[in-house]
Amino acid sequence: MGFLLANDGINGKAGSAFMVKNGRNIELFGLKKYETNAEVETSEFPVVGSLINQTKVKGIKYSGTLTVYYGTPEFLDVLSEYKRNGRFPEINFQVINQDKGSSVGSQVVAIYGVILTKIPIAILDDSADYLQEEIPFNFTDYEVLKGFGTPSQLGSGGY
């Protein structure tokens, strides 16, 4: 049985992310953490004559969170644009994992139809050395533009 070698583990800091807002690419240079998820929504399906409650998939909800150092004006600009004209700007994200030390290569994922669901307006914190803001969001779709490859070598033995 093979196993993943440590060199092919993906370094969490090796990569970058961009926000595309109204057609403009904006590098998220103060990014600390980015995560998107698909939550599979299910419903129970009980049937007479069975003690087992089956589960059926009824949909998927996409959501995510990004944490950035405070001071990136682009997020507050989104809120201000909506407040001024009632139009929420079109936002997409592009996230790149690119650990040059790993043989699996890079991965590029596009996140479409982003709606920021909580946008900090102003922050002060007497216990923080560096202010940061956490911004949750929902989105409507994603696409893997380039996926990871398979490792060039696997470990063996170990038992």
Side-chain angles (χ1 to χ4, degrees):
M1 179 168 157
F3 57 88
L4 185 67
L5 295 173
N7 286 343
D8 288 324
I10 304 299
N11 182 334
K13 296 178 184 178
S16 57
F18 295 85
M19 176 170 63
V20 181
K21 185 176 88 173
N22 292 333
R24 202 173 108 241
N25 280 343
I26 303 156
E27 185 171 7
L28 298 176
F29 53 84
L31 186 66
K32 286 192 55 145
K33 184 177 180 182
Y34 177 94
E35 183 176 342
T36 49
N37 298 291
E39 182 180 337
V40 178
E41 297 176 329
T42 62
S43 61
E44 289 190 12
F45 187 78
V47 179
V48 172
S50 174
L51 298 176
I52 299 169
N53 280 338
Q54 300 174 64
T55 303
K56 181 175 182 172
V57 174
K58 63 179 186 175
I60 297 174
K61 179 181 178 184
Y62 296 130
S63 64
T65 305
L66 60 100
T67 304
V68 295
Y69 286 109
Y70 184 63
T72 304
E74 298 295 339
F75 301 110
L76 192 52
D77 289 349
V78 167
L79 184 61
S80 296
E81 183 176 332
Y82 180 73
K83 180 183 166 191
R84 273 192 315 273
N85 62 28
R87 183 186 161 279
F88 202 87
E90 181 181 324
I91 298 172
N92 300 316
F93 290 132
Q94 185 169 313
V95 180
I96 304 159
N97 294 96
Q98 192 168 29
D99 182 349
K100 293 180 181 178
S102 174
S103 71
V104 299
S106 62
Q107 176 173 276
V108 180
V109 177
I111 307 296
Y112 303 116
V114 173
I115 302 293
L116 306 176
T117 58
K118 184 178 177 186
I119 303 169
I121 295 173
I123 301 172
L124 292 172
D125 184 345
D126 73 340
S127 65
D129 289 333
Y130 304 100
L131 290 175
Q132 56 188 8
E133 53 189 329
E134 185 174 281
I135 302 172
F137 59 91
N138 295 323
F139 60 100
T140 56
D141 203 4
Y142 76 95
E143 183 177 4
V144 178
L145 303 176
K146 180 181 186 288
F148 289 121
T150 56
S152 62
Q153 180 180 349
L154 293 176
S156 61
Y159 285 91

